[in-house]
Amino acid sequence: MSGVNQITIVGNVGAAPELNYGQNNQPYCRFSVAVNEQWKNNGEKRERVTWFPIIAFNGLSENCAAYLERGRTCAVIGRVQTREYEDREGTKHHVMQVIAEKVTFLGASRKDESSAAPRPGKPAPQSESDADSVPF
């Protein structure tokens, strides 16, 4: 019987995603997501942050690189994978990472907030030259 390897993470991006190109010029994007947990233990407020390394491939990687930024909230659905590597000193390391299958961009991007494009319910900014061209 085969098992199920699926993880859903909702949290904040830790740093700007890094877009790279691998074999056959295949794009991949690495970023990390922090998930904050809060609870009370004997009336004392406790908090823990868990970091998840994420890797996305192909078109998803390019979208992540274009639209994710430090602090932006996102939801990642994917699978957990471990890999092994050896450092320069010959020490073997095992790393857990999430292979993203779907990434949903949540909340507003800081780029969106600073752009001059009008949004519903928000008037478009007017320059002085626009005000001078009004015929009345």
Side-chain angles (χ1 to χ4, degrees), residues 31-104:
F31 59 99
S32 59
V33 174
V35 176
N36 298 307
E37 300 173 76
Q38 296 179 353
W39 70 94
K40 286 189 177 182
N41 187 9
N42 296 328
E44 182 182 342
K45 185 177 176 182
R46 305 291 306 260
E47 186 173 349
R48 172 178 42 220
V49 178
T50 304
W51 288 92
F52 293 91
I54 313 291
I55 185 165
F57 291 97
N58 300 319
L60 180 58
S61 68
E62 293 169 333
N63 286 336
C64 288
Y67 296 107
L68 288 178
E69 60 188 356
R70 183 179 188 276
R72 183 151 189 200
T73 305
C74 69
V76 178
I77 298 173
R79 59 187 165 82
V80 177
Q81 178 178 306
T82 58
R83 64 182 175 89
E84 184 180 306
Y85 72 94
E86 193 172 305
D87 64 19
R88 292 181 180 161
E89 288 79 36
T91 306
K92 288 186 179 181
H93 298 272
H94 294 274
V95 178
M96 182 277 305
Q97 60 190 12
V98 175
I99 306 300
E101 295 168 1
K102 181 177 181 182
V103 178
T104 303

